[in-house]
Amino acid sequence: MKDLRRYLALKYIQYLVLSSSNAVSTLLGLLGSAYTMILLQSAKVSFKSTAVLISSLAQADILVFLSLISDVFLGSFGAGVSPAASALARILLTANAHVSCVLLSCVAFEAYLITFLPSESRPLRTVRNARLISRVIWTLVAAECALFLTDEHLRASGASAASRGPAGLLFQLSSAAAALLMSLSYIMGILLRIINVYIYYKIFFSVSPR
């Protein structure tokens, strides 16, 4: 449907084109996700593997809403936004961005398969596989967030002061792992942008009239 294609275009611009999020793109993304979740409940929409991925993409914006809630409620206990609220909101936004980028890349890859390998890829493009992929992505990002939250908690509790003992070792391992994961996430984000541009470049010129 045209509305779903517009929603995907909005999300590609929000996560894979813009260098950073802003209030306008975030608000448009939230409104688009809310409308898409309602639209996917319609009987007019064929619930295939692409629809499953788009549904999971729309649900990822719940994390943005939760980050706003954490800023308002956790921050209200102090003068302004508390460090805990700020860290939680930042991690939720990071999780939203990572889930969205990977799901958008999955949609792009599926479009590539539909365009160039329609019959060969049909056994792979199933609702069951799409749901499995979505669960794996959410699980990996949840583990990533758990690591970031652990690192933030250890920093806030002053575990760095304990140079010896299990607490100090845990802090060092957590800090190193979080830094490594952040670097890998940055590199993966660049690679996903390149791959998506290549995929849609190939699709565009394959369907354009010669």
Side-chain angles (χ1 to χ4, degrees):
M1 295 180 65
K2 290 184 178 180
D3 287 342
L4 293 181
R5 287 196 291 268
R6 293 191 187 101
Y7 173 69
L8 287 175
L10 170 64
K11 284 299 178 179
Y12 276 110
I13 293 172
Q14 182 181 357
Y15 290 107
L16 296 174
V17 176
L18 296 178
S19 59
S20 61
S21 61
N22 54 68
V24 175
S25 64
T26 300
L27 178 60
L28 290 176
L30 287 172
L31 294 175
S33 294
Y35 174 73
T36 298
M37 285 191 284
I38 295 173
L39 184 63
L40 289 173
Q41 304 303 316
S42 172
K44 296 180 180 180
V45 178
S46 179
F47 205 72
K48 296 181 180 180
S49 55
T50 304
V52 173
L53 296 174
I54 294 175
S55 176
S56 188
L57 174 65
Q59 292 169 12
D61 269 3
I62 295 175
L63 298 175
V64 178
F65 181 73
L66 292 177
S67 72
L68 297 176
I69 295 297
S70 68
D71 271 344
V72 173
F73 286 94
L74 294 181
S76 64
F77 289 100
V81 180
S82 68
S86 178
L88 180 59
R90 184 175 67 254
I91 290 172
L92 288 172
L93 290 177
T94 299
N96 167 258
H98 290 179
V99 168
S100 299
C101 287
V102 177
L103 285 172
L104 285 169
S105 299
C106 290
V107 173
F109 182 66
E110 186 173 51
Y112 180 89
L113 293 178
I114 292 172
T115 304
F116 297 102
L117 300 168
S119 57
E120 297 88 342
S121 64
R122 188 170 291 113
L124 299 175
R125 295 184 287 105
T126 62
V127 170
R128 179 181 179 182
N129 286 342
R131 286 174 175 165
L132 177 61
I133 290 172
S134 296
R135 291 192 189 103
V136 170
I137 292 171
W138 277 97
T139 301
L140 291 176
V141 173
E144 177 190 42
C145 291
L147 176 60
F148 289 152
L149 282 172
T150 300
D151 184 54
E152 289 286 347
H153 175 72
L154 291 175
R155 289 179 183 276
S157 63
S160 57
S163 58
R164 298 180 180 179
L169 179 61
L170 178 61
F171 173 80
Q172 294 174 8
L173 291 175
S174 175
S175 180
L180 177 61
L181 188 56
M182 189 64 71
S183 299
L184 291 176
S185 298
Y186 177 76
I187 295 173
M188 183 173 290
I190 296 176
L191 290 176
L192 289 180
R193 284 175 169 85
I194 296 173
I195 292 171
N196 277 271
V197 169
Y198 173 77
I199 288 176
Y200 283 110
Y201 170 84
K202 293 283 290 183
I203 292 175
F204 175 78
F205 283 101
S206 70
V207 300
S208 297
R210 294 179 173 82

